[in-house]
Amino acid sequence: MEMNGSQPRENWGSKLAFIMAAAGSAIGLGNIWAFPTNAAANGGGAFLVVYLICVVLIGAPVMLAEFAIGRATQRNPVGAFKALAPKSGWKYLGGLGVVAGVVILSFYAVIAGWTVSYIFKCLAGTFKPGVDTAAIFEQMSGDPLNAIGYLAAFMALSVYVVVGGVRQGIERWTKVLMPILLVLLVLLGIRAVTLSGAGAGLAFYLKPDFSLINGKVILSAAGQAFFSLSLGMGTMITYGSYIAKKDDLVSSTLWVSTLDTAIAILAGLIIFPTLFHAGLGLQEGGPGMVFVVLTSLLGEMPPAPLGGIIFGTGFFLLLGIAAITSSVSLLEVGVAYIVDERKISRKKAGLFLGGLAFLLGIPSALGNGAVSWLTNLPVIGTDFLSFLFEVFGQYALAIGALFISIFVGWKWGVTNAAAEVELEGNAFRFHQIWSFLIKFVCPTVLIVILLNKVWTLIFGRGLI
Ligand code: PFF
């Protein structure tokens, strides 16, 4: 057990347990809900290619950087930056992470709440062949009591798991259930790609039209990579703070990013063929897209009607669990901060931040049909949830990742980070490449795409 001052710090039970927990944080609604929605809005195949490049060139390097910061300091993000750069402004970068965690959790729990409500709909055999899945979604998300009730239920569950502590709370869930989710996704994928008309969906998704790549696509792909890999807000710093010194950080990074990316790619292989098969338009984007598309596949799962019920219930149940392992990691950042820095109990910290995220989640819950101005925000033009997702789920994480790469590359230094990676005789594979990526490539790419966004906001069109 590691020591932090006089307080013992809990460790993950084993390296495998750590990888599963970090993968549990990474794999969630980001892969299955956000990835296809973003890909649909950004050119399909073109988005996929840029996304993969972002994962390799900036996502994985930043993940390793976060693990190293966390394990070196054994602290929450705010404490970690304070420890490595005392009396400097870097601690505010940790603070940004705490805020982003609570805001992301607020809308994340709304979507997770929908997932829970869909478990019951599937069990009841709602998704028969030919049903209007868009109308079912609108009715569910437009009912204010339903939306807020499921949000509250999901938030309560997340708080319950976080308050249970690191080992019992998080570890136990992920080990068994994530492999089952993977099997279920593969089976749904096989059915989707064999549907009539699947070819057009596959072409949209897998045949990139490179002329569609521009600054917006690159920023969305980078933001999506950070969201999906749980980077840019200190989640992996926090999780890294519980890793044993003997564990190999490089292979953990490779495992987590590969698993996460594989699940996102699979989700696309399910959604796009089904979308084209069902004749649903790409323009039906927005937060409901995946719910509408996926449920239209259920009527096609053999043997009817049992196949649809079994696959649907299993899918939404496992997705709900994947969402819990992610939402607890969103909450954990702020809880670790309050527990470490403010010396308040885990229970109080969890209840306080969970309550805050619940209140913040209400406008997102009501912005999908229940309250019209929240469904179509004045000036902004999207619903409240999509707005928060863009600002906090994508830009704040990209900004966070930018500063984390600058911090590790130029302030703390790649040599110190490498020494942490090489502790207890671990070899640092890709040392030179990683140093180059974290010092030069990550900051440059992120500065360019963020400046391009600012340019677009001011002048109406981007430079790239
Ligand atoms: N990575 C999670 C997902 O893909 O669903 C969401 C997430 C969790 C984002 C934790 C950020 C984070 F810090």
Side-chain angles (χ1 to χ4, degrees):
M1 181 143 308
E2 300 297 332
M3 305 294 281
N4 173 17
S6 58
Q7 284 198 327
R9 194 166 187 88
E10 246 182 308
N11 268 188
W12 302 103
S14 65
K15 182 174 160 217
L16 177 69
F18 163 67
I19 292 178
M20 292 308 273
S25 164
I27 298 165
L29 299 168
N31 308 59
I32 289 158
W33 166 79
F35 177 80
T37 309
N38 249 326
N42 288 292
F47 181 85
L48 177 63
V49 171
V50 181
Y51 179 79
L52 293 176
I53 295 173
C54 286
V55 169
V56 175
L57 292 189
I58 47 184
V62 170
M63 183 180 290
L64 182 60
E66 288 204 24
F67 284 158
I69 296 175
R71 195 177 64 178
T73 57
Q74 309 266 305
R75 296 226 164 82
N76 68 86
V78 178
F81 288 112
K82 268 198 211 162
L84 294 176
K87 301 198 176 53
S88 72
W90 285 100
K91 60 176 182 288
Y92 295 111
L93 180 53
L96 174 72
V98 172
V99 174
V102 174
V103 179
I104 293 175
L105 178 63
S106 78
F107 68 80
Y108 201 85
V110 172
I111 307 153
W114 296 342
T115 307
V116 177
S117 88
Y118 267 56
I119 300 173
F120 301 112
K121 283 200 190 314
C122 289
L123 260 182
T126 310
F127 300 106
K128 300 185 183 67
V131 291
D132 184 347
T133 56
I136 295 173
F137 177 77
E138 272 168 34
Q139 200 208 359
M140 183 276 304
S141 64
D143 175 351
L145 275 184
N146 189 77
I148 294 179
Y150 279 112
L151 162 66
F154 187 83
M155 196 67 82
L157 209 58
S158 306
V159 171
Y160 174 78
V161 177
V162 169
V163 168
V166 175
R167 187 170 296 172
Q168 303 92 332
I170 303 169
E171 235 171 73
R172 204 170 47 188
W173 294 98
T174 29
K175 277 193 241 180
V176 202
L177 294 164
M178 290 304 109
I180 306 180
L181 176 65
L182 191 64
V183 172
L184 212 82
L185 286 173
V186 170
L187 293 176
L188 286 167
I190 292 174
R191 180 67 270 234
V193 299
T194 50
L195 292 170
S196 64
L202 286 175
F204 173 74
Y205 183 46
L206 299 177
K207 274 208 190 128
D209 173 354
F210 291 108
S211 69
L212 295 176
I213 297 176
N214 56 22
K216 173 180 174 278
V217 171
I218 304 175
L219 178 54
S220 304
Q224 173 63 29
F226 295 132
F227 186 79
S228 190
L229 295 168
S230 300
L231 299 175
M233 50 158 278
T235 299
M236 294 307 185
I237 295 181
T238 312
Y239 273 33
S241 76
Y242 308 112
I243 313 179
K245 293 284 184 196
K246 67 176 183 336
D247 286 345
D248 177 359
L249 299 181
V250 179
S251 74
S252 303
T253 302
L254 293 177
W255 270 109
V256 175
S257 39
T258 308
L259 283 173
D260 186 72
T261 307
I263 299 230
I265 293 176
L266 253 176
L269 283 177
I270 300 172
I271 296 299
F272 291 110
T274 310
L275 188 136
F276 279 74
H277 164 80
L280 297 160
L282 286 171
Q283 68 281 5
E284 300 200 31
M289 187 190 94
V290 172
F291 288 86
V292 173
V293 177
L294 216 136
T295 47
S296 79
L297 178 64
L298 296 178
E300 315 260 4
M301 294 307 289
L306 210 61
I309 297 180
I310 294 173
F311 275 93
T313 311
F315 174 80
F316 285 109
L317 185 66
L318 290 168
L319 181 57
I321 291 165
I324 287 249
T325 54
S326 302
S327 66
V328 297
S329 74
L330 287 162
L331 196 53
E332 178 65 29
V333 176
V335 168
Y337 161 66
I338 295 182
V339 171
D340 286 355
E341 308 290 313
R342 309 253 165 233
K343 308 279 177 268
I344 292 174
S345 76
R346 226 182 145 72
K347 189 168 173 190
K348 278 196 194 138
L351 283 172
F352 170 69
L353 290 181
L356 199 64
F358 166 71
L359 293 177
L360 266 173
I362 293 176
S364 292
L366 295 179
N368 284 278
V371 174
S372 63
W373 72 270
L374 287 170
T375 308
N376 191 355
L377 289 174
V379 187
I380 291 157
T382 63
D383 62 281
F384 192 77
L385 192 161
S386 301
F387 172 65
L388 283 190
F389 178 54
E390 196 171 345
V391 175
F392 285 90
Q394 314 230 288
Y395 303 150
L397 299 186
I399 292 169
L402 165 65
F403 284 104
I404 289 171
S405 63
I406 294 176
F407 180 82
V408 173
W410 301 97
K411 172 79 187 159
W412 186 35
V414 285
T415 317
N416 285 330
E420 180 62 36
V421 174
E422 287 167 344
L423 277 184
E424 305 207 5
N426 279 305
F428 189 172
R429 283 169 290 158
F430 315 114
H431 182 163
Q432 303 301 334
I433 301 177
W434 175 79
S435 303
F436 179 72
L437 292 174
I438 214 77
K439 281 180 85 159
F440 301 106
V441 177
C442 299
T444 313
V445 171
L446 290 169
I447 288 174
V448 169
I449 55 182
L450 286 165
L451 282 181
N452 187 61
K453 174 71 193 173
V454 176
W455 186 276
T456 314
L457 284 177
I458 300 172
F459 299 107
R461 61 188 299 265
L463 287 167
I464 46 172

mmCIF file of all heavy atoms in Angstrom, residues 261-281:
data_model
loop_
_atom_site.group_PDB
_atom_site.id
_atom_site.type_symbol
_atom_site.label_atom_id
_atom_site.label_comp_id
_atom_site.label_asym_id
_atom_site.label_seq_id
_atom_site.Cartn_x
_atom_site.Cartn_y
_atom_site.Cartn_z
ATOM 1 N N THR A 261 -10.799 2.145 -28.529
ATOM 2 C CA THR A 261 -10.959 2.446 -29.952
ATOM 3 C C THR A 261 -11.688 1.304 -30.661
ATOM 4 O O THR A 261 -12.548 1.544 -31.521
ATOM 5 C CB THR A 261 -9.570 2.685 -30.586
ATOM 6 O OG1 THR A 261 -8.906 3.672 -29.804
ATOM 7 C CG2 THR A 261 -9.678 3.159 -32.009
ATOM 8 N N ALA A 262 -11.371 0.075 -30.290
ATOM 9 C CA ALA A 262 -12.039 -1.066 -30.920
ATOM 10 C C ALA A 262 -13.547 -0.992 -30.690
ATOM 11 O O ALA A 262 -14.351 -1.232 -31.602
ATOM 12 C CB ALA A 262 -11.482 -2.368 -30.359
ATOM 13 N N ILE A 263 -13.954 -0.607 -29.489
ATOM 14 C CA ILE A 263 -15.394 -0.556 -29.203
ATOM 15 C C ILE A 263 -16.068 0.573 -29.983
ATOM 16 O O ILE A 263 -17.176 0.417 -30.495
ATOM 17 C CB ILE A 263 -15.643 -0.429 -27.689
ATOM 18 C CG1 ILE A 263 -15.036 -1.658 -27.019
ATOM 19 C CG2 ILE A 263 -17.131 -0.239 -27.382
ATOM 20 C CD1 ILE A 263 -15.857 -2.417 -26.071
ATOM 21 N N ALA A 264 -15.378 1.705 -30.119
ATOM 22 C CA ALA A 264 -15.965 2.797 -30.903
ATOM 23 C C ALA A 264 -16.132 2.375 -32.362
ATOM 24 O O ALA A 264 -17.182 2.609 -32.977
ATOM 25 C CB ALA A 264 -15.091 4.045 -30.803
ATOM 26 N N ILE A 265 -15.113 1.721 -32.920
ATOM 27 C CA ILE A 265 -15.190 1.300 -34.322
ATOM 28 C C ILE A 265 -16.357 0.316 -34.501
ATOM 29 O O ILE A 265 -17.150 0.422 -35.438
ATOM 30 C CB ILE A 265 -13.862 0.651 -34.767
ATOM 31 C CG1 ILE A 265 -12.759 1.707 -34.778
ATOM 32 C CG2 ILE A 265 -13.996 0.013 -36.157
ATOM 33 C CD1 ILE A 265 -11.383 1.164 -35.110
ATOM 34 N N LEU A 266 -16.467 -0.602 -33.552
ATOM 35 C CA LEU A 266 -17.571 -1.575 -33.598
ATOM 36 C C LEU A 266 -18.935 -0.882 -33.554
ATOM 37 O O LEU A 266 -19.854 -1.267 -34.280
ATOM 38 C CB LEU A 266 -17.478 -2.476 -32.369
ATOM 39 C CG LEU A 266 -17.016 -3.899 -32.546
ATOM 40 C CD1 LEU A 266 -16.905 -4.581 -31.192
ATOM 41 C CD2 LEU A 266 -17.977 -4.654 -33.451
ATOM 42 N N ALA A 267 -19.043 0.127 -32.709
ATOM 43 C CA ALA A 267 -20.319 0.835 -32.600
ATOM 44 C C ALA A 267 -20.701 1.425 -33.948
ATOM 45 O O ALA A 267 -21.862 1.350 -34.373
ATOM 46 C CB ALA A 267 -20.236 1.928 -31.536
ATOM 47 N N GLY A 268 -19.721 1.971 -34.659
ATOM 48 C CA GLY A 268 -19.990 2.522 -35.988
ATOM 49 C C GLY A 268 -20.439 1.434 -36.953
ATOM 50 O O GLY A 268 -21.311 1.657 -37.799
ATOM 51 N N LEU A 269 -19.825 0.251 -36.811
ATOM 52 C CA LEU A 269 -20.188 -0.862 -37.701
ATOM 53 C C LEU A 269 -21.617 -1.330 -37.447
ATOM 54 O O LEU A 269 -22.239 -1.959 -38.297
ATOM 55 C CB LEU A 269 -19.232 -2.034 -37.495
ATOM 56 C CG LEU A 269 -17.854 -1.891 -38.139
ATOM 57 C CD1 LEU A 269 -16.968 -3.072 -37.798
ATOM 58 C CD2 LEU A 269 -17.985 -1.741 -39.661
ATOM 59 N N ILE A 270 -22.132 -1.058 -36.262
ATOM 60 C CA ILE A 270 -23.533 -1.401 -35.985
ATOM 61 C C ILE A 270 -24.454 -0.299 -36.487
ATOM 62 O O ILE A 270 -25.458 -0.539 -37.137
ATOM 63 C CB ILE A 270 -23.746 -1.608 -34.464
ATOM 64 C CG1 ILE A 270 -22.865 -2.741 -33.952
ATOM 65 C CG2 ILE A 270 -25.218 -1.884 -34.164
ATOM 66 C CD1 ILE A 270 -22.875 -2.897 -32.443
ATOM 67 N N ILE A 271 -24.071 0.950 -36.161
ATOM 68 C CA ILE A 271 -25.002 2.063 -36.409
ATOM 69 C C ILE A 271 -25.164 2.384 -37.899
ATOM 70 O O ILE A 271 -26.285 2.517 -38.392
ATOM 71 C CB ILE A 271 -24.542 3.332 -35.648
ATOM 72 C CG1 ILE A 271 -24.595 3.090 -34.131
ATOM 73 C CG2 ILE A 271 -25.363 4.555 -36.042
ATOM 74 C CD1 ILE A 271 -25.952 2.773 -33.584
ATOM 75 N N PHE A 272 -24.072 2.506 -38.656
ATOM 76 C CA PHE A 272 -24.221 3.012 -40.024
ATOM 77 C C PHE A 272 -24.941 2.048 -40.976
ATOM 78 O O PHE A 272 -25.833 2.478 -41.718
ATOM 79 C CB PHE A 272 -22.882 3.509 -40.565
ATOM 80 C CG PHE A 272 -22.453 4.748 -39.839
ATOM 81 C CD1 PHE A 272 -21.385 4.735 -38.969
ATOM 82 C CD2 PHE A 272 -23.185 5.917 -39.972
ATOM 83 C CE1 PHE A 272 -21.032 5.874 -38.258
ATOM 84 C CE2 PHE A 272 -22.847 7.055 -39.262
ATOM 85 C CZ PHE A 272 -21.762 7.031 -38.403
ATOM 86 N N PRO A 273 -24.618 0.765 -40.975
ATOM 87 C CA PRO A 273 -25.402 -0.133 -41.824
ATOM 88 C C PRO A 273 -26.887 -0.123 -41.442
ATOM 89 O O PRO A 273 -27.760 -0.080 -42.312
ATOM 90 C CB PRO A 273 -24.780 -1.508 -41.558
ATOM 91 C CG PRO A 273 -23.394 -1.215 -41.117
ATOM 92 C CD PRO A 273 -23.480 0.067 -40.356
ATOM 93 N N THR A 274 -27.167 -0.085 -40.148
ATOM 94 C CA THR A 274 -28.572 -0.092 -39.718
ATOM 95 C C THR A 274 -29.275 1.184 -40.156
ATOM 96 O O THR A 274 -30.417 1.167 -40.622
ATOM 97 C CB THR A 274 -28.658 -0.220 -38.185
ATOM 98 O OG1 THR A 274 -27.848 -1.313 -37.780
ATOM 99 C CG2 THR A 274 -30.084 -0.449 -37.731
ATOM 100 N N LEU A 275 -28.566 2.295 -40.013
ATOM 101 C CA LEU A 275 -29.149 3.586 -40.373
ATOM 102 C C LEU A 275 -29.539 3.618 -41.851
ATOM 103 O O LEU A 275 -30.628 4.046 -42.223
ATOM 104 C CB LEU A 275 -28.103 4.654 -40.053
ATOM 105 C CG LEU A 275 -28.477 6.112 -40.140
ATOM 106 C CD1 LEU A 275 -27.905 6.817 -38.924
ATOM 107 C CD2 LEU A 275 -27.922 6.780 -41.360
ATOM 108 N N PHE A 276 -28.647 3.115 -42.706
ATOM 109 C CA PHE A 276 -28.957 3.124 -44.143
ATOM 110 C C PHE A 276 -30.015 2.082 -44.464
ATOM 111 O O PHE A 276 -30.883 2.313 -45.306
ATOM 112 C CB PHE A 276 -27.684 2.912 -44.969
ATOM 113 C CG PHE A 276 -26.886 4.167 -45.134
ATOM 114 C CD1 PHE A 276 -26.152 4.682 -44.077
ATOM 115 C CD2 PHE A 276 -26.885 4.869 -46.339
ATOM 116 C CE1 PHE A 276 -25.420 5.863 -44.209
ATOM 117 C CE2 PHE A 276 -26.155 6.040 -46.485
ATOM 118 C CZ PHE A 276 -25.421 6.535 -45.415
ATOM 119 N N HIS A 277 -29.958 0.940 -43.799
ATOM 120 C CA HIS A 277 -30.950 -0.109 -44.037
ATOM 121 C C HIS A 277 -32.351 0.395 -43.700
ATOM 122 O O HIS A 277 -33.310 0.186 -44.445
ATOM 123 C CB HIS A 277 -30.622 -1.336 -43.172
ATOM 124 C CG HIS A 277 -31.746 -2.310 -43.030
ATOM 125 N ND1 HIS A 277 -32.044 -3.238 -44.015
ATOM 126 C CD2 HIS A 277 -32.654 -2.506 -42.055
ATOM 127 C CE1 HIS A 277 -33.090 -3.950 -43.630
ATOM 128 N NE2 HIS A 277 -33.474 -3.531 -42.446
ATOM 129 N N ALA A 278 -32.456 1.097 -42.570
ATOM 130 C CA ALA A 278 -33.781 1.543 -42.111
ATOM 131 C C ALA A 278 -34.228 2.806 -42.841
ATOM 132 O O ALA A 278 -35.329 3.303 -42.592
ATOM 133 C CB ALA A 278 -33.741 1.783 -40.605
ATOM 134 N N GLY A 279 -33.368 3.324 -43.721
ATOM 135 C CA GLY A 279 -33.746 4.530 -44.466
ATOM 136 C C GLY A 279 -33.835 5.753 -43.571
ATOM 137 O O GLY A 279 -34.544 6.710 -43.888
ATOM 138 N N LEU A 280 -33.115 5.736 -42.436
ATOM 139 C CA LEU A 280 -33.118 6.913 -41.559
ATOM 140 C C LEU A 280 -32.061 7.867 -42.088
ATOM 141 O O LEU A 280 -31.013 7.445 -42.574
ATOM 142 C CB LEU A 280 -32.769 6.511 -40.129
ATOM 143 C CG LEU A 280 -33.766 5.554 -39.453
ATOM 144 C CD1 LEU A 280 -33.114 4.844 -38.275
ATOM 145 C CD2 LEU A 280 -34.984 6.320 -38.995
ATOM 146 N N GLY A 281 -32.310 9.167 -41.974
ATOM 147 C CA GLY A 281 -31.360 10.128 -42.538
ATOM 148 C C GLY A 281 -30.263 10.472 -41.555
ATOM 149 O O GLY A 281 -30.465 10.437 -40.347
#
